[in-house]
Amino acid sequence: MEPRSSRGMGVVGLQRPFQPRREPRSPLERGVAWMLFLLLVAGAAASIALDDDGGDTAARPAPAQAESATTPPAAAEEPPVTATADEGPSSFTIAATGDLLIHESVADAARTADGWDFTPMFDSVAPLLGRADLAVCHVESPMSPNNARLSYFPAFLVPRELAEAIAYAGYDTCSLASNHATDAGRDGVVGTIGALDRTRVAHAGMALSPEARDEVTLVEAGDATVAHLSYTYGFTNRQLDPDEPYLSNVIDEATILDEARRARSAGADFVMLSMHWGTNYTSEPDGMQVGLGPRLLASPDIDLILGHHTHMVQPVVRIGGEFIVYGLGNFLSNQSPETCAECPLPTEDGVIVHLTVTEDEAAGRWSVTEVAHTPTWVDRSNFEIVDVLRDAGRDPGLLQDSARRTASALQLLGTPVASR
Protein backbone atom coordinates (compact mmCIF):
# COMPACT_ATOMS: atom_id res chain seq x y z
CA MET A 1 0.00 0.00 0.00
CA GLU A 2 1.27 3.44 -0.85
CA PRO A 3 2.15 5.31 2.34
CA ARG A 4 -0.25 8.00 3.36
CA SER A 5 2.50 10.60 3.69
CA SER A 6 3.89 11.81 0.38
CA ARG A 7 7.22 13.17 1.45
CA GLY A 8 9.97 14.87 -0.51
CA MET A 9 12.66 17.51 -0.48
CA GLY A 10 12.38 20.89 -2.14
CA VAL A 11 13.64 19.69 -5.50
CA VAL A 12 12.26 19.33 -9.02
CA GLY A 13 10.08 16.26 -9.21
CA LEU A 14 8.69 16.58 -5.69
CA GLN A 15 5.69 14.28 -5.24
CA ARG A 16 2.31 15.88 -4.87
CA PRO A 17 1.61 16.18 -1.14
CA PHE A 18 -0.80 13.78 0.46
CA GLN A 19 -4.38 14.99 0.56
CA PRO A 20 -6.19 13.94 3.77
CA ARG A 21 -9.11 11.55 3.30
CA ARG A 22 -12.57 12.95 3.36
CA GLU A 23 -15.77 10.92 3.24
CA PRO A 24 -17.43 10.70 -0.21
CA ARG A 25 -20.70 12.47 -0.75
CA SER A 26 -23.81 10.66 0.35
CA PRO A 27 -26.46 9.73 -2.28
CA LEU A 28 -28.64 12.56 -0.96
CA GLU A 29 -25.82 15.10 -1.36
CA ARG A 30 -25.12 13.85 -4.88
CA GLY A 31 -28.83 14.09 -5.76
CA VAL A 32 -29.10 17.66 -4.48
CA ALA A 33 -25.96 18.64 -6.40
CA TRP A 34 -27.39 17.09 -9.61
CA MET A 35 -30.71 18.92 -9.21
CA LEU A 36 -28.90 22.23 -8.70
CA PHE A 37 -26.88 21.55 -11.83
CA LEU A 38 -30.02 20.86 -13.89
CA LEU A 39 -31.65 24.05 -12.60
CA LEU A 40 -28.55 26.02 -13.53
CA VAL A 41 -28.55 24.55 -17.04
CA ALA A 42 -32.25 25.29 -17.47
CA GLY A 43 -31.75 28.89 -16.34
CA ALA A 44 -28.89 29.36 -18.75
CA ALA A 45 -30.92 27.87 -21.61
CA ALA A 46 -33.71 30.32 -20.96
CA SER A 47 -31.26 33.23 -21.21
CA ILE A 48 -29.63 32.18 -24.48
CA ALA A 49 -31.37 31.88 -27.89
CA LEU A 50 -29.72 29.51 -30.38
CA ASP A 51 -29.72 30.19 -34.20
CA ASP A 52 -30.15 27.48 -36.89
CA ASP A 53 -26.54 26.25 -36.74
CA GLY A 54 -26.59 26.02 -32.96
CA GLY A 55 -24.53 29.17 -32.41
CA ASP A 56 -25.09 31.51 -29.47
CA THR A 57 -26.89 34.56 -30.85
CA ALA A 58 -26.00 36.48 -27.70
CA ALA A 59 -22.45 36.46 -29.02
CA ARG A 60 -23.33 38.79 -31.90
CA PRO A 61 -25.85 41.68 -32.24
CA ALA A 62 -29.30 40.99 -33.73
CA PRO A 63 -30.24 42.86 -36.97
CA ALA A 64 -31.67 46.35 -36.35
CA GLN A 65 -35.08 45.44 -37.86
CA ALA A 66 -35.50 42.71 -35.23
CA GLU A 67 -35.48 45.20 -32.36
CA SER A 68 -38.77 46.19 -30.73
CA ALA A 69 -39.97 48.57 -28.05
CA THR A 70 -40.72 45.67 -25.72
CA THR A 71 -37.23 44.16 -26.01
CA PRO A 72 -34.52 46.79 -25.71
CA PRO A 73 -31.35 45.99 -27.65
CA ALA A 74 -29.23 46.25 -24.54
CA ALA A 75 -31.22 43.50 -22.85
CA ALA A 76 -30.80 41.17 -25.80
CA GLU A 77 -27.06 41.75 -25.99
CA GLU A 78 -26.25 41.30 -22.28
CA PRO A 79 -24.74 37.94 -21.39
CA PRO A 80 -26.47 35.77 -18.79
CA VAL A 81 -25.71 36.82 -15.23
CA THR A 82 -24.49 34.15 -12.84
CA ALA A 83 -25.23 35.01 -9.22
CA THR A 84 -22.25 34.00 -7.14
CA ALA A 85 -21.58 35.02 -3.55
CA ASP A 86 -18.19 36.39 -2.58
CA GLU A 87 -16.75 33.55 -0.53
CA GLY A 88 -13.85 35.61 0.77
CA PRO A 89 -10.24 34.48 1.11
CA SER A 90 -9.27 30.80 1.13
CA SER A 91 -8.85 29.17 4.51
CA PHE A 92 -8.46 25.78 6.20
CA THR A 93 -8.85 24.46 9.73
CA ILE A 94 -6.50 22.58 12.07
CA ALA A 95 -7.44 20.47 15.09
CA ALA A 96 -4.41 19.72 17.30
CA THR A 97 -4.19 17.46 20.35
CA GLY A 98 -1.58 16.39 22.89
CA ASP A 99 0.17 13.23 24.05
CA LEU A 100 -1.04 9.74 23.17
CA LEU A 101 0.72 7.98 26.04
CA ILE A 102 -0.30 4.33 26.19
CA HIS A 103 0.22 3.06 29.70
CA GLU A 104 -0.39 -0.61 30.49
CA SER A 105 -3.84 0.12 31.92
CA VAL A 106 -4.84 1.82 28.66
CA ALA A 107 -3.60 -1.17 26.63
CA ASP A 108 -5.38 -3.60 28.96
CA ALA A 109 -8.65 -1.73 28.44
CA ALA A 110 -8.17 -2.07 24.67
CA ARG A 111 -7.41 -5.81 24.82
CA THR A 112 -9.68 -8.06 22.73
CA ALA A 113 -9.71 -11.76 21.94
CA ASP A 114 -7.81 -11.02 18.73
CA GLY A 115 -5.44 -8.27 19.88
CA TRP A 116 -6.14 -4.63 20.75
CA ASP A 117 -8.79 -2.13 19.75
CA PHE A 118 -8.26 1.47 20.88
CA THR A 119 -10.92 2.96 18.60
CA PRO A 120 -13.76 3.18 21.20
CA MET A 121 -11.57 5.50 23.25
CA PHE A 122 -11.88 8.10 20.46
CA ASP A 123 -15.62 7.78 19.80
CA SER A 124 -16.54 11.02 21.56
CA VAL A 125 -13.90 13.19 19.88
CA ALA A 126 -13.67 11.65 16.40
CA PRO A 127 -16.48 13.85 14.99
CA LEU A 128 -14.60 17.00 16.07
CA LEU A 129 -11.29 15.80 14.64
CA GLY A 130 -12.89 14.58 11.43
CA ARG A 131 -14.44 17.97 10.69
CA ALA A 132 -11.04 19.69 10.56
CA ASP A 133 -9.19 19.96 7.27
CA LEU A 134 -6.03 18.90 9.11
CA ALA A 135 -6.06 16.94 12.38
CA VAL A 136 -2.70 16.66 14.16
CA CYS A 137 -1.75 14.16 16.87
CA HIS A 138 1.35 13.50 18.95
CA VAL A 139 2.47 9.88 19.44
CA GLU A 140 4.63 9.72 22.57
CA SER A 141 4.86 5.95 22.94
CA PRO A 142 6.49 4.08 20.00
CA MET A 143 4.67 1.09 18.51
CA SER A 144 5.96 -2.45 18.16
CA PRO A 145 6.48 -3.78 14.61
CA ASN A 146 5.00 -7.19 15.56
CA ASN A 147 3.49 -6.71 19.05
CA ALA A 148 6.37 -8.65 20.57
CA ARG A 149 8.31 -7.39 23.60
CA LEU A 150 5.60 -4.92 24.57
CA SER A 151 6.54 -2.65 27.45
CA TYR A 152 5.09 0.33 29.25
CA PHE A 153 6.29 2.77 31.85
CA PRO A 154 9.11 3.74 32.19
CA ALA A 155 10.07 2.53 28.68
CA PHE A 156 7.35 2.20 26.05
CA LEU A 157 6.74 -0.17 23.16
CA VAL A 158 2.99 -0.41 22.63
CA PRO A 159 0.58 -2.34 20.37
CA ARG A 160 0.69 -1.28 16.74
CA GLU A 161 -3.13 -1.24 16.64
CA LEU A 162 -2.87 2.25 18.11
CA ALA A 163 -2.29 3.44 14.53
CA GLU A 164 -5.68 2.06 13.46
CA ALA A 165 -7.37 4.14 16.17
CA ILE A 166 -5.39 7.20 15.10
CA ALA A 167 -6.72 6.80 11.55
CA TYR A 168 -10.24 6.05 12.83
CA ALA A 169 -10.21 9.24 14.89
CA GLY A 170 -9.57 11.27 11.75
CA TYR A 171 -5.96 12.32 12.23
CA ASP A 172 -4.09 13.32 9.10
CA THR A 173 -0.55 13.71 10.47
CA CYS A 174 1.26 12.95 13.74
CA SER A 175 4.45 14.22 15.34
CA LEU A 176 6.70 11.39 16.54
CA ALA A 177 9.78 13.02 18.09
CA SER A 178 9.53 12.63 21.88
CA ASN A 179 11.62 11.72 24.89
CA HIS A 180 10.35 8.13 24.48
CA ALA A 181 10.98 7.86 20.72
CA THR A 182 14.13 5.77 21.28
CA ASP A 183 12.83 3.60 24.15
CA ALA A 184 12.95 0.46 21.97
CA GLY A 185 15.74 1.59 19.67
CA ARG A 186 15.31 0.98 15.96
CA ASP A 187 12.46 -1.51 16.53
CA GLY A 188 10.22 1.21 17.93
CA VAL A 189 10.93 3.51 15.01
CA VAL A 190 10.34 0.72 12.47
CA GLY A 191 7.09 -0.22 14.20
CA THR A 192 5.75 3.31 14.51
CA ILE A 193 6.52 4.39 10.95
CA GLY A 194 5.26 1.09 9.54
CA ALA A 195 1.98 1.19 11.46
CA LEU A 196 1.19 4.77 10.44
CA ASP A 197 2.15 4.13 6.82
CA ARG A 198 -0.19 1.12 6.70
CA THR A 199 -3.06 3.25 7.97
CA ARG A 200 -2.13 6.15 5.66
CA VAL A 201 -1.44 8.71 8.37
CA ALA A 202 1.38 11.14 7.61
CA HIS A 203 4.12 11.64 10.21
CA ALA A 204 7.19 13.67 11.08
CA GLY A 205 10.06 13.41 13.56
CA MET A 206 11.28 9.82 13.07
CA ALA A 207 13.25 8.36 10.16
CA LEU A 208 14.97 5.11 9.17
CA SER A 209 17.76 6.60 7.05
CA PRO A 210 19.64 9.88 6.58
CA GLU A 211 17.76 10.38 3.32
CA ALA A 212 14.38 9.94 4.98
CA ARG A 213 15.39 12.31 7.79
CA ASP A 214 16.11 15.02 5.22
CA GLU A 215 12.72 14.70 3.55
CA VAL A 216 9.95 17.16 4.37
CA THR A 217 6.48 15.97 5.40
CA LEU A 218 3.86 17.75 3.29
CA VAL A 219 0.09 17.37 3.53
CA GLU A 220 -2.80 19.05 1.74
CA ALA A 221 -5.32 21.07 3.76
CA GLY A 222 -8.00 22.78 1.74
CA ASP A 223 -6.21 24.82 -0.94
CA ALA A 224 -2.94 24.94 1.00
CA THR A 225 0.12 22.72 1.23
CA VAL A 226 1.22 22.35 4.85
CA ALA A 227 4.64 21.21 6.07
CA HIS A 228 4.85 19.36 9.39
CA LEU A 229 8.11 19.37 11.38
CA SER A 230 8.73 17.54 14.68
CA TYR A 231 11.55 17.78 17.26
CA THR A 232 12.22 16.70 20.88
CA TYR A 233 14.44 18.16 23.61
CA GLY A 234 16.08 14.76 24.20
CA PHE A 235 15.52 11.19 25.41
CA THR A 236 14.76 9.70 28.81
CA ASN A 237 15.54 5.98 28.68
CA ARG A 238 17.85 5.39 25.73
CA GLN A 239 20.04 7.82 23.86
CA LEU A 240 20.37 7.85 20.08
CA ASP A 241 22.82 5.31 18.73
CA PRO A 242 25.76 7.30 17.27
CA ASP A 243 25.51 5.09 14.19
CA GLU A 244 21.82 6.01 13.70
CA PRO A 245 21.42 9.66 14.72
CA TYR A 246 18.57 10.06 12.23
CA LEU A 247 16.06 7.87 14.13
CA SER A 248 14.53 10.88 15.89
CA ASN A 249 14.91 14.64 15.47
CA VAL A 250 16.52 16.51 18.38
CA ILE A 251 15.89 20.21 18.97
CA ASP A 252 18.60 22.34 17.42
CA GLU A 253 17.71 25.87 16.36
CA ALA A 254 19.82 25.94 13.20
CA THR A 255 18.59 22.51 12.11
CA ILE A 256 14.95 23.48 12.61
CA LEU A 257 15.37 26.71 10.65
CA ASP A 258 17.10 24.84 7.84
CA GLU A 259 14.27 22.30 7.54
CA ALA A 260 11.71 25.11 7.62
CA ARG A 261 13.52 26.83 4.74
CA ARG A 262 13.60 23.57 2.76
CA ALA A 263 9.88 23.09 3.48
CA ARG A 264 9.11 26.50 2.05
CA SER A 265 11.27 25.76 -1.00
CA ALA A 266 9.43 22.45 -1.41
CA GLY A 267 6.17 24.35 -1.87
CA ALA A 268 4.77 24.65 1.66
CA ASP A 269 2.28 27.50 2.01
CA PHE A 270 2.17 27.01 5.79
CA VAL A 271 4.85 25.51 8.07
CA MET A 272 3.73 23.88 11.33
CA LEU A 273 6.37 22.94 13.93
CA SER A 274 5.67 20.38 16.70
CA MET A 275 7.99 20.76 19.73
CA HIS A 276 8.37 18.20 22.53
CA TRP A 277 9.63 20.44 25.30
CA GLY A 278 8.96 22.02 28.70
CA THR A 279 9.06 20.96 32.34
CA ASN A 280 6.87 18.06 33.40
CA TYR A 281 3.70 18.69 35.40
CA THR A 282 3.58 22.46 35.07
CA SER A 283 1.21 24.70 33.16
CA GLU A 284 3.76 27.50 32.88
CA PRO A 285 6.26 27.53 30.00
CA ASP A 286 9.86 27.21 31.12
CA GLY A 287 12.93 29.20 30.09
CA MET A 288 13.67 27.11 27.03
CA GLN A 289 10.12 27.46 25.74
CA VAL A 290 9.80 31.23 26.20
CA GLY A 291 13.33 31.79 24.87
CA LEU A 292 13.46 29.49 21.85
CA GLY A 293 9.79 29.58 20.84
CA PRO A 294 9.55 33.28 19.90
CA ARG A 295 12.91 33.15 18.10
CA LEU A 296 11.72 30.26 15.93
CA LEU A 297 8.37 31.90 15.29
CA ALA A 298 10.14 35.05 14.12
CA SER A 299 11.49 33.10 11.14
CA PRO A 300 9.58 33.84 7.93
CA ASP A 301 9.55 30.07 7.35
CA ILE A 302 7.68 29.02 10.54
CA ASP A 303 3.99 29.91 10.91
CA LEU A 304 2.78 27.95 13.96
CA ILE A 305 4.33 26.08 16.91
CA LEU A 306 2.47 23.26 18.69
CA GLY A 307 3.99 22.03 21.96
CA HIS A 308 3.65 18.91 24.10
CA HIS A 309 5.47 16.83 26.76
CA THR A 310 4.63 18.44 30.13
CA HIS A 311 1.40 16.35 30.49
CA MET A 312 -0.54 19.51 31.33
CA VAL A 313 -2.24 22.08 29.14
CA GLN A 314 -0.09 25.20 28.74
CA PRO A 315 -0.94 28.66 27.40
CA VAL A 316 -1.46 29.94 23.90
CA VAL A 317 0.36 33.15 23.03
CA ARG A 318 0.12 35.44 20.03
CA ILE A 319 3.38 37.04 18.93
CA GLY A 320 3.47 39.37 15.94
CA GLY A 321 0.29 37.93 14.47
CA GLU A 322 1.45 34.29 14.83
CA PHE A 323 0.76 31.73 17.55
CA ILE A 324 2.56 29.36 19.88
CA VAL A 325 0.53 26.70 21.68
CA TYR A 326 3.10 25.97 24.39
CA GLY A 327 1.57 22.69 25.53
CA LEU A 328 -1.43 20.57 24.52
CA GLY A 329 -1.34 18.34 27.61
CA ASN A 330 -2.32 14.68 27.67
CA PHE A 331 -4.96 13.47 25.25
CA LEU A 332 -4.96 9.76 26.18
CA SER A 333 -3.08 8.38 29.19
CA ASN A 334 -3.50 6.82 32.64
CA GLN A 335 -1.96 9.78 34.43
CA SER A 336 -3.88 10.98 37.47
CA PRO A 337 -3.16 11.76 41.14
CA GLU A 338 -4.63 8.30 41.80
CA THR A 339 -1.98 6.53 39.70
CA CYS A 340 1.05 8.78 39.86
CA ALA A 341 2.41 10.45 43.00
CA GLU A 342 3.85 13.41 41.09
CA CYS A 343 0.85 13.83 38.74
CA PRO A 344 -1.43 16.79 39.56
CA LEU A 345 -5.12 16.71 38.72
CA PRO A 346 -4.74 18.54 35.36
CA THR A 347 -2.91 15.52 33.93
CA GLU A 348 -6.41 14.08 33.46
CA ASP A 349 -7.38 17.08 31.32
CA GLY A 350 -6.77 17.48 27.63
CA VAL A 351 -7.73 19.78 24.81
CA ILE A 352 -8.44 20.04 21.12
CA VAL A 353 -7.11 23.37 19.88
CA HIS A 354 -8.97 24.55 16.78
CA LEU A 355 -7.14 26.96 14.47
CA THR A 356 -8.38 28.69 11.34
CA VAL A 357 -5.66 29.53 8.82
CA THR A 358 -6.48 32.15 6.18
CA GLU A 359 -4.72 33.20 3.01
CA ASP A 360 -3.66 36.82 2.58
CA GLU A 361 -3.23 37.01 -1.19
CA ALA A 362 -1.78 40.51 -1.08
CA ALA A 363 0.91 39.49 1.41
CA GLY A 364 1.43 36.15 -0.29
CA ARG A 365 1.15 34.07 2.87
CA TRP A 366 -1.19 32.07 5.11
CA SER A 367 -1.59 32.79 8.83
CA VAL A 368 -3.68 31.75 11.83
CA THR A 369 -6.67 34.08 12.13
CA GLU A 370 -8.74 32.33 14.80
CA VAL A 371 -8.03 30.08 17.80
CA ALA A 372 -10.59 28.22 19.91
CA HIS A 373 -10.63 25.06 22.01
CA THR A 374 -12.66 22.06 23.10
CA PRO A 375 -11.72 20.79 26.58
CA THR A 376 -11.41 17.00 26.97
CA TRP A 377 -11.04 14.64 29.88
CA VAL A 378 -10.05 10.95 30.15
CA ASP A 379 -12.58 8.66 31.81
CA ARG A 380 -10.25 6.07 33.30
CA SER A 381 -13.04 3.52 33.78
CA ASN A 382 -12.79 2.76 30.04
CA PHE A 383 -10.24 5.38 28.86
CA GLU A 384 -12.71 7.13 26.62
CA ILE A 385 -11.59 10.65 25.73
CA VAL A 386 -14.59 12.74 26.74
CA ASP A 387 -15.75 15.87 24.93
CA VAL A 388 -16.35 17.84 28.12
CA LEU A 389 -18.72 20.38 26.58
CA ARG A 390 -21.06 17.78 25.09
CA ASP A 391 -21.00 14.88 27.54
CA ALA A 392 -24.27 14.23 29.33
CA GLY A 393 -23.59 10.96 31.13
CA ARG A 394 -20.91 11.86 33.68
CA ASP A 395 -20.58 14.03 36.78
CA PRO A 396 -21.24 17.57 35.50
CA GLY A 397 -19.37 19.17 38.39
CA LEU A 398 -16.26 17.12 37.64
CA LEU A 399 -16.37 18.03 33.95
CA GLN A 400 -17.00 21.72 34.66
CA ASP A 401 -13.94 21.79 36.92
CA SER A 402 -11.88 20.17 34.18
CA ALA A 403 -13.11 22.71 31.61
CA ARG A 404 -12.26 25.61 33.92
CA ARG A 405 -8.74 24.29 34.52
CA THR A 406 -8.13 23.92 30.80
CA ALA A 407 -9.47 27.36 29.88
CA SER A 408 -7.42 28.97 32.64
CA ALA A 409 -4.21 27.26 31.51
CA LEU A 410 -4.71 28.20 27.85
CA GLN A 411 -5.20 31.87 28.72
CA LEU A 412 -2.48 32.10 31.36
CA LEU A 413 -0.45 34.58 29.28
CA GLY A 414 -3.43 36.76 28.39
CA THR A 415 -4.28 35.50 24.89
CA PRO A 416 -8.05 34.81 24.75
CA VAL A 417 -9.02 31.31 23.57
CA ALA A 418 -12.77 30.79 23.39
CA SER A 419 -14.36 27.38 23.90
CA ARG A 420 -16.52 25.71 21.29
Side-chain angles (χ1 to χ4, degrees):
M1 178 182 294
E2 181 184 356
R4 185 173 189 188
S5 54
S6 292
R7 305 168 55 135
M9 297 181 64
V11 295
V12 176
L14 173 71
Q15 287 186 321
R16 184 177 183 273
F18 175 79
Q19 185 163 6
R21 324 180 273 264
R22 288 291 173 255
E23 291 299 321
R25 291 183 181 181
S26 68
L28 177 59
E29 290 172 320
R30 289 195 298 268
V32 170
W34 180 242
M35 290 177 64
L36 290 173
F37 172 76
L38 292 177
L39 288 171
L40 181 62
V41 171
S47 304
I48 300 174
L50 298 181
D51 62 10
D52 291 343
D53 64 7
D56 185 353
T57 57
R60 58 180 184 267
Q65 62 269 28
E67 297 175 4
S68 70
T70 57
T71 307
E77 294 175 6
E78 287 179 352
V81 176
T82 303
T84 58
D86 183 6
E87 296 180 354
S90 296
S91 66
F92 66 91
T93 56
I94 298 173
T97 62
D99 299 355
L100 299 180
L101 187 59
I102 307 304
H103 293 100
E104 188 169 10
S105 297
V106 180
D108 287 347
R111 199 73 165 93
T112 69
D114 301 322
W116 290 264
D117 181 6
F118 296 92
T119 59
M121 300 175 183
F122 293 86
D123 281 346
S124 176
V125 294
L128 295 174
L129 298 172
R131 282 199 289 271
D133 295 307
L134 186 64
V136 185
C137 90
H138 175 64
V139 178
E140 181 151 8
S141 38
M143 295 175 237
S144 171
N146 54 11
N147 286 348
R149 299 189 307 107
L150 296 178
S151 63
Y152 303 94
F153 184 82
F156 291 86
L157 188 64
V158 307
R160 60 187 179 182
E161 284 82 0
L162 175 62
E164 297 173 5
I166 288 171
Y168 163 82
Y171 288 109
D172 301 296
T173 184
C174 293
S175 59
L176 305 181
S178 80
N179 62 309
H180 291 289
T182 57
D183 279 2
R186 186 178 181 85
D187 280 354
V189 178
V190 168
T192 305
I193 290 176
L196 291 171
D197 282 351
R198 282 191 297 274
T199 54
R200 294 183 58 75
V201 177
H203 48 80
M206 284 181 173
L208 291 170
S209 69
E211 295 76 19
R213 175 198 57 199
D214 292 338
E215 293 172 354
V216 176
T217 299
L218 298 173
V219 291
E220 296 278 15
D223 294 329
T225 298
V226 179
H228 189 195
L229 286 57
S230 171
Y231 288 79
T232 180
Y233 72 90
F235 309 100
T236 298
N237 295 303
R238 183 171 178 172
Q239 298 306 305
L240 279 172
D241 187 326
D243 294 331
E244 295 184 305
Y246 44 79
L247 291 178
S248 178
N249 290 341
V250 180
I251 291 173
D252 176 78
E253 188 169 353
T255 301
I256 294 170
L257 292 174
D258 176 68
E259 184 179 4
R261 281 191 294 269
R262 290 189 291 109
R264 197 71 83 185
S265 297
D269 300 302
F270 188 83
V271 178
M272 177 176 63
L273 170 63
S274 290
M275 294 284 277
H276 198 77
W277 59 359
T279 302
N280 269 348
Y281 311 122
T282 176
S283 58
E284 297 182 8
D286 65 14
M288 177 188 186
Q289 291 173 286
V290 299
L292 179 59
R295 290 203 306 272
L296 291 171
L297 198 65
S299 164
D301 299 315
I302 296 176
D303 302 303
L304 171 68
I305 298 177
L306 301 173
H308 31 73
H309 167 63
T310 69
H311 307 299
M312 289 174 56
V313 175
Q314 292 189 311
V316 173
V317 63
R318 182 175 184 173
I319 303 173
E322 297 177 322
F323 289 85
I324 300 175
V325 182
Y326 275 113
L328 288 156
N330 288 330
F331 200 57
L332 175 61
S333 84
N334 188 41
Q335 287 193 327
S336 162
E338 299 176 5
T339 63
C340 165
E342 63 269 31
C343 294
L345 190 57
T347 57
E348 298 180 1
D349 305 328
V351 69
I352 303 172
V353 171
H354 309 273
L355 304 111
T356 300
V357 181
T358 304
E359 182 182 21
D360 183 340
E361 291 189 32
R365 64 178 299 124
W366 297 70
S367 59
V368 174
T369 52
E370 181 181 344
V371 181
H373 80 283
T374 298
T376 63
W377 178 80
V378 177
D379 182 344
R380 290 187 304 104
S381 69
N382 58 3
F383 293 97
E384 181 181 1
I385 305 163
V386 175
D387 175 355
V388 170
L389 300 180
R390 295 164 183 81
D391 185 85
R394 293 169 178 83
D395 182 344
L398 182 152
L399 297 183
Q400 289 168 10
D401 288 345
S402 174
R404 279 194 292 268
R405 289 192 299 266
T406 296
S408 176
L410 287 171
Q411 300 176 104
L412 190 63
L413 297 181
T415 299
V417 185
S419 62
R420 76 178 196 191

